Amino acid sequence: MSNLRPGVGYLEVCEGVENEIRRRGGDPAFPSGLGVNEVTAHFSPEQGEKRFITDDDLVKLDYGVHIEGYIADTSVTVTNNAAYQPLLKATERALQAAIEVVKRDRRVGEIGRAIAREASKDGFKTISNLSGHTVERYVVHAGKSIPNMFMPNLPVLRQDEVFAIEPFLTFGDASGYVVDSEPETIFSIIARKRTGSKELDELLEMIWSGRKSLPFTPRWFAKGYEMAKMVRYLKELEARRLVRAYPTLVEQSRRPVAQFEHTVALDSDGAVILT
Ligand code: MN
Ligand code: MN
């Protein structure tokens, strides 16, 4: 991850990681996400993005690999800003604490409890409306959520399940939840149906052949398309409920957020870290 440092452009970071995934024989499981400061999730730089990482920034890179639909999802946070170091370290410890409590037949709320407890030791709080998730073939976010706080009566973890644990931490004075924001850079196909429009059908088929139900970003298909036209077509497909968009999520009070994530498989002895 040598690209993830001050002075490097957002686009260069994300295209770098996506190209490295392909070079090693995988394919991105979703568009690599770059979350700078309060930008928390679901932002992937677009074509023409000019911004670059600065010394003050807290930067999350969230990326995933799939091979024939089998998915690994991970993230790291970096910063050169001393004021953000304790937040970064606490988030790393929270992920560690979460992995330590993973056990067969344990309720997922117990993982949330371990994460929140670790965060509060240093006066930080977790983002209450983001969570980890089980992973299934061609499905990044499958049935079960793994909360970042204690919640009672949630499902238990079963042997052979694969799931991502991803604590998001912020400062104690922050709101502690994320809200939808602009722009929309990540999409996925939710249904395949003829639309009656040749252009829309062709776009849907082209994306489906590359991505199936996995998320994508328009810049991946920029070669064959004029970008403004593709965005317009995606809006039409969204209106017909064939495509969904994932808006950029930002911390409500605009405070910085750190994230670490691993994908874990549960075998008879406990967690096996896959990432
Ligand atoms: Mn992730
Ligand atoms: Mn995830």
Side-chain angles (χ1 to χ4, degrees):
M1 226 44 71
S2 58
N3 257 352
L4 192 60
R5 54 182 161 75
V8 182
Y10 290 7
L11 199 53
E12 193 181 337
V13 171
C14 288
E15 290 190 325
V17 71
E18 291 162 5
N19 288 335
E20 184 64 18
I21 289 167
R22 294 182 186 111
R23 199 183 64 78
R24 296 189 189 201
D27 207 27
F30 48 84
S32 57
L34 196 69
V36 178
N37 301 324
E38 75 274 16
V39 176
T40 304
H42 297 168
F43 173 77
S44 193
E46 302 173 275
Q47 258 196 326
E49 170 68 65
K50 294 280 191 289
R51 288 173 290 177
F52 54 90
I53 297 169
T54 77
D55 264 322
D56 289 335
D57 288 333
L58 180 80
V59 184
K60 301 162 286 298
L61 178 64
D62 190 325
Y63 59 102
V65 179
H66 88 93
I67 295 176
E68 293 177 6
Y70 297 100
I71 294 165
D73 178 5
T74 190
S75 78
V76 292
T77 298
V78 299
T79 187
N80 273 12
N81 186 334
Y84 297 157
Q85 276 294 338
L87 175 65
L88 185 155
K89 290 292 168 200
T91 309
E92 225 172 358
R93 284 197 299 273
L95 176 56
Q96 198 51 48
I99 290 169
E100 279 164 20
V101 302
V102 168
K103 221 177 132 184
R104 214 159 32 139
D105 299 328
R106 183 155 279 171
R107 287 190 190 275
V108 295
E110 294 301 326
I111 296 178
R113 189 204 297 274
I115 290 169
R117 181 188 290 145
E118 198 60 40
S120 65
K121 280 182 191 167
D122 297 305
F124 298 119
K125 62 167 68 160
T126 60
I127 299 295
S128 59
N129 60 342
L130 286 177
S131 49
H133 47 93
T134 48
V135 172
E136 288 172 11
R137 195 173 181 200
Y138 285 111
V139 188
V140 183
H141 287 223
K144 293 179 193 171
S145 291
I146 309 204
N148 285 321
M149 55 199 285
F150 176 70
M151 293 168 99
N153 303 318
L154 292 184
V156 298
L157 295 170
R158 303 286 188 200
Q159 191 172 327
D160 300 329
E161 273 186 325
V162 177
F163 46 94
I165 303 178
E166 48 184 312
F168 290 85
L169 268 63
T170 187
F171 289 92
D173 62 357
S175 298
Y177 61 93
V178 292
V179 292
D180 288 358
S181 183
E182 296 286 322
E184 289 176 345
T185 62
I186 300 176
F187 302 83
S188 69
I189 294 177
I190 49 179
R192 282 167 85 206
K193 254 187 269 168
R194 294 265 166 200
T195 62
S197 148
K198 185 165 170 285
E199 289 80 9
L200 293 183
D201 288 349
E202 279 175 4
L203 178 61
L204 202 60
E205 272 319 296
M206 179 185 69
I207 296 170
W208 179 263
S209 70
R211 298 302 297 167
K212 307 258 187 302
S213 53
L214 292 172
F216 63 92
T217 190
R219 89 178 133 75
W220 288 347
F221 299 97
K223 283 220 172 67
Y225 269 87
E226 188 198 325
M227 193 51 64
K229 189 187 270 183
M230 161 136 16
V231 169
R232 199 169 67 241
Y233 288 171
L234 285 174
K235 284 274 162 221
E236 285 186 40
L237 291 168
E238 216 185 316
R240 293 166 196 246
R241 298 179 194 280
L242 301 178
V243 162
R244 68 160 287 191
Y246 302 80
T248 297
L249 299 174
V250 303
E251 203 283 319
Q252 196 273 339
S253 53
R254 285 9 183 208
R255 298 286 276 143
V257 177
Q259 175 202 18
F260 281 89
E261 176 176 21
H262 272 311
T263 300
V264 160
L266 187 56
D267 76 4
S268 51
D269 296 325
V272 179
I273 299 171
L274 303 178
T275 45

